[in-house]
Amino acid sequence: MSGDGPSGSGGGSGTGSGHVWLVGAGPGDPGLITEAGLAALQRAEVVLYDRLAPHALLDQCPAETLLINAGKAAGDHVMTQDEINASLVEYAAAGRRVVRLKGGDPYVFGRGGEEAAALAEAGLGFSVVPGVTSAIGGLAVAGIPVTHRGVASSFAVITGHEDPTKPGQSVRWDRLATAVDTLVVLMGVGRIETIAAALIDGGCDPSTPAALVHAAATPDQRVAEATLAGVAAEARREGIEAPALFVVGDVVALRAQLRGGGTLAGKRVLVTRSRSQASTLVELLRAEGALPVELPAIEIQRRTDPAAVGRTARALSGGNYGWTIFTSTNAVEVFIDLLAERDLDARAFAGTRLCAIGKATARALRQRGLIADLVPDDATSEGVVEAMSTAMGQAAVAGATVLLPRAEGGRDALPDGLRAAGATVDELTLYLSAPPAEPPAEAMALVREGKIDAVTFTSSSTVKNLSTLLGGDLSALRDATIACIGPSTAETAEALGLPPNAVAAEHTVPGLVAALRTHLHSTQSEPAAQAEPGTAEATP
Ligand code: SAH
């Protein structure tokens, strides 16, 4: 297996023996791991992970993977370095596929070299999968480039772990002070004062821009900016703690322009969709400069009665349904999987027309080889009945037999509306969308501490389940902007005490993001509009 990694493969892995991937997880955002790193996690049998590696990445491992927290918070060693080395050797020697997951890059103050050396000594196979170091990538996300034409043509990454006032220093602050344009200090939060003093003593201008970036590239990111002389006091005032990057150099001043200025920039936006469905929303939010916080409020659990599924499958194949209505991508996935388990494929739908509520549902059908006959623009029950009537005439709805695969405990508005219009409706319960048993602790903490700026709800169940996760008390989100994908979701949010600020005009994920953007833009630009001269509201 050696040679699997992109670089630095060690020898010694014979057939049947294990292998260790030393994987850099990137600077904080789980999306910033490499493809090779992700692939290694997806095949791992054992993972030893660090505190700084984004824990959301662990969801990528198979369910049976052994996850070991080697997390080394300062002064609180869960495992010593010797124990980590020994454990890597032990699992690899036992023939396991092992990932050693580290924050940033494994070879930048990550002690990855020592771990690789221990494996090499034991004659075991290993590969290094480099990562984006926080020293470069973390600063970039915060709006600080380590080099910039005409501003900085060199940078150094330095440990702040040593006390600059003690003799026998390996770091020569006096020389670095004038030799390098951008200085990036890792592990230095506790010593900013002495480090800044050492740099000024060494000839660095006290007015050089400097900053501390806490938890870069995560929803918790915070920046304290000042001059080199004033940065320690500013960091204290801002309450900046580890982990943080300390950066000194003229490039810090570029942040004002490069931090990105979209209406969602720097906003923590809660994403409540199930993990498997959240990716588009997360990507769109990120593209707007937001910091998505994933708290999946929904987990899909199958709830089927085999006899009912069998009956329905026979009726469907027999051409008994004039219409089949899919109300969500989950309904598509679960129903088509159930048919496949009974050796039925797309041909089972030959005798029915297909209605998909929402473009995403239509897309899910298309991916399974089925093209919807009808995708109502208006996804409310009245809208669906109306669209069906238009498609085939009022009389035909009245006589139609409709199959409605659905969630347990879902809303009854649609079947009720169809029945009121004279249709016969067969409801088939497929799944329950329940709150997860173990919601991510970091996201829960951000919610509880009132640190969420905006919340996105993509269905009524996301609202209800979030409320359940929070013990029925949504008051921590009182000051957040509430955005809903459509009117029925908005109704549920309102009923549970979160009156929505923005409701998507187009009931899609891009529509939801657009509604959130428009709302925040209008609230943010109000003062500016008032100050504009020549308008009626202008004040002297
Ligand atoms: N191998 C890592 C660095 C490990 S040393 C890398 O390449 O990024 C640990 C130090 O890295 C922390 O004390 C802090 O200074 C810095 N660090 C790592 N991730 C960080 C983040 N997301 N935000 C701020 N600092 C971070």
Side-chain angles (χ1 to χ4, degrees):
M1 271 222 166
S2 68
D4 230 19
S7 74
S9 285
S13 83
T15 42
S17 80
H19 195 89
V20 177
W21 285 264
L22 297 165
V23 175
D29 181 332
L32 293 175
I33 192 173
T34 64
E35 278 189 29
L38 196 56
L41 280 176
Q42 286 164 347
R43 286 174 306 165
E45 293 170 294
V46 181
V47 177
L48 274 91
Y49 61 95
D50 268 358
R51 189 174 50 98
L52 284 177
H55 291 184
L57 285 171
L58 300 174
D59 292 343
Q60 298 288 332
C61 302
E64 56 280 4
T65 302
L66 176 62
L67 302 175
I68 301 169
N69 183 0
K72 299 186 296 173
D76 170 30
H77 285 247
V78 176
M79 283 173 87
T80 65
Q81 190 60 49
D82 285 345
E83 285 165 351
I84 293 171
N85 295 358
S87 167
L88 291 173
V89 166
E90 187 186 320
Y91 284 114
R96 314 292 283 276
R97 286 192 301 273
V98 184
V99 166
R100 174 73 178 108
L101 188 68
K102 293 164 171 294
D105 181 87
Y107 283 1
V108 177
F109 298 125
R111 305 192 70 168
E114 294 164 55
E115 292 166 10
L119 290 161
E121 251 164 56
L124 294 160
F126 65 90
S127 317
V128 181
V129 183
V132 176
T133 179
S134 65
I136 300 173
L139 289 180
V141 172
I144 303 170
V146 288
T147 70
H148 194 81
R149 197 176 149 83
V151 179
S153 45
S154 60
F155 66 89
V157 180
I158 312 148
T159 173
H161 203 61
E162 300 177 345
D163 184 346
T165 61
K166 294 258 169 68
Q169 285 299 302
S170 59
V171 178
R172 296 294 306 269
W173 296 103
D174 54 337
R175 295 198 189 172
L176 286 164
T178 50
V180 181
D181 296 328
T182 306
L183 301 173
V184 186
V185 183
L186 271 53
M187 301 174 284
V189 188
R191 293 189 206 280
I192 323 166
E193 236 127 20
T194 42
I195 293 171
L199 289 172
I200 293 170
D201 277 354
C204 197
D205 185 338
S207 70
T208 309
L212 267 111
V213 181
H214 168 78
T218 77
D220 233 2
Q221 176 177 301
R222 275 192 311 154
V223 182
E225 232 184 284
T227 60
L228 178 57
V231 73
E234 181 62 19
R236 222 178 303 118
R237 219 179 353 261
E238 290 279 321
I240 300 279
E241 293 171 352
L245 302 153
F246 177 27
V247 53
V248 181
D250 290 333
V251 288
V252 172
L254 296 168
R255 182 167 177 266
Q257 188 190 5
L258 301 187
R259 61 189 294 194
T263 35
L264 291 177
K267 297 252 186 280
R268 291 194 193 105
V269 181
L270 196 67
V271 173
T272 55
R273 296 203 104 175
S274 67
R275 189 83 73 191
S276 62
Q277 293 188 314
S279 59
T280 313
L281 179 53
V282 167
E283 277 160 29
L284 287 178
L285 289 170
R286 204 167 271 149
E288 301 267 346
L291 303 166
V293 178
E294 288 191 63
L295 179 51
I298 286 190
E299 227 170 51
I300 302 301
Q301 299 167 1
R302 263 202 200 185
R303 289 294 168 95
T304 48
D305 167 6
V309 175
R311 263 196 315 276
T312 307
R314 275 191 301 279
L316 180 67
S317 307
N320 292 2
Y321 294 114
W323 282 95
T324 302
I325 304 181
F326 288 100
T327 54
S328 72
T329 56
N330 292 323
V332 172
E333 302 298 337
V334 180
F335 188 54
I336 294 179
D337 284 348
L338 282 167
L339 291 178
E341 286 162 23
R342 284 166 178 74
D343 295 327
L344 290 170
D345 62 15
R347 286 168 288 182
F349 294 93
T352 184
R353 262 168 291 202
L354 296 172
C355 172
I357 312 253
K359 287 185 188 148
T361 309
R363 228 176 353 256
L365 277 174
R366 200 173 261 274
Q367 270 163 9
R368 309 293 292 248
L370 295 165
I371 295 173
D373 298 285
L374 187 64
V375 186
D377 286 332
D378 176 358
T380 63
S381 112
E382 302 76 40
V384 174
V385 172
E386 165 97 38
M388 286 173 67
S389 310
T390 314
M392 53 189 233
Q394 188 64 44
V397 177
T401 307
V402 178
L403 171 60
L404 185 65
R406 60 175 299 181
E408 185 178 306
R411 291 167 50 88
D412 291 324
L414 181 57
D416 289 352
L418 288 165
R419 287 192 184 108
T424 306
V425 184
D426 268 9
E427 296 174 57
L428 179 68
T429 302
L430 296 179
Y431 61 92
L432 175 68
S433 57
E438 287 177 35
E442 291 132 41
M444 287 292 281
L446 287 172
V447 172
R448 291 219 167 92
E449 291 159 17
K451 290 186 177 164
I452 297 297
D453 299 304
V455 187
T456 57
F457 290 121
T458 48
S459 66
S460 287
S461 12
T462 57
V463 189
K464 287 185 212 153
N465 291 4
L466 182 64
S467 168
T468 308
L469 283 176
L470 293 169
D473 179 11
L474 289 168
S475 62
L477 295 168
R478 213 179 21 224
D479 296 333
T481 300
I482 308 297
C484 295
I485 200 162
S488 63
T489 306
E491 212 173 278
T492 310
E494 173 104 51
L496 291 177
L498 289 181
N501 305 94
V503 181
E506 194 195 334
H507 312 318
T508 60
V509 164
L512 176 64
V513 175
L516 182 59
R517 193 196 318 114
T518 308
H519 172 78
L520 289 176
H521 186 71
S522 66
T523 51
Q524 283 170 12
S525 57
E526 259 161 34
Q530 274 172 17
E532 227 168 69
T535 65
E537 296 86 353
T539 45

